[in-house]
Every structure is written in C-alpha cells, then in structure tokens.
Amino acid sequence: AYANVDVTTGGTTLTNRQQAFCNTSGGAFTITLPGSPVKGDSVRIFDVNKTFDTQNLTISRNGNPIMGDASDLTVSTEGAAFELVFYDGSQGWRIITV
C-alpha cells in the first residue's frame, strides 16, 4: 500500500511507496525523490488542484537520473498524475503512467 502525503508548499522529500497529492495553487514548488532508491522503488505524483500548468511542480532528482537525464523534471501539465519507478543508476527514475 502507498502512504498518502499532502504537499502544498514543497520542501518535502518522498520515500518509497508514497503518494504525493500536490497543490501548487499557492505557488510553484519542488519536491525531492528518495535519495537511495533500489530497483522497483516507486512514488506517485498528483496535481490535485489542476494548477501545474500555471504553477509548475519541479521534481528534484536527488542525485539519480529521471528518464535517463541528469536533470530535474518540471511538470507543467494541468491535472497530471503519474508514477515514477526506479530502475538503476544510469536510467534512474522512469515514468510508467501518464
């Protein structure tokens, strides 16, 4: 089961199997992926207020790639909901549902 986390201001570092219900209506912010993931670890991200298009969410990679890229992920899609699963140190976190 996933643990639910309500995030409204950022500064949150997720752990394995957490669901982040993000509300950026008060302004854009950053959440951070787990720092020492192992293959199969996963997190879920939700735009609960449909404001990622105007107040972006940044996902800090915390030292591991996201989709094989060594850069943070900016989410700007209104109503986005997706899961990230960790594969390895070269490919890193993979988006598996959009």
Side-chain angles (χ1 to χ4, degrees):
Y2 277 77
N4 296 328
V5 179
D6 289 320
V7 185
T8 58
T9 60
T12 300
T13 298
L14 298 177
T15 60
N16 181 37
R17 300 191 64 77
Q18 281 190 320
Q19 297 186 128
F21 294 98
C22 300
N23 183 344
T24 60
S25 62
F29 60 80
T30 299
I31 60 171
T32 303
L33 291 171
S36 298
V38 297
K39 186 182 287 185
D41 281 3
S42 61
V43 296
R44 294 175 179 168
I45 310 290
F46 299 90
D47 178 8
V48 296
N49 209 51
K50 296 175 62 178
T51 52
F52 285 4
D53 58 331
T54 56
Q55 303 286 350
N56 298 163
L57 176 72
T58 299
I59 300 175
S60 171
R61 64 191 190 93
N62 203 0
N64 286 293
I66 299 174
M67 299 298 290
D69 294 329
S71 58
D72 294 339
L73 174 65
T74 300
V75 185
S76 59
T77 302
E78 179 183 311
F82 56 94
E83 185 171 4
L84 292 155
V85 176
F86 188 76
Y87 178 65
D88 66 16
S90 64
Q91 291 302 311
W93 294 93
R94 307 294 295 182
I95 299 171
I96 66 162
T97 53
V98 178

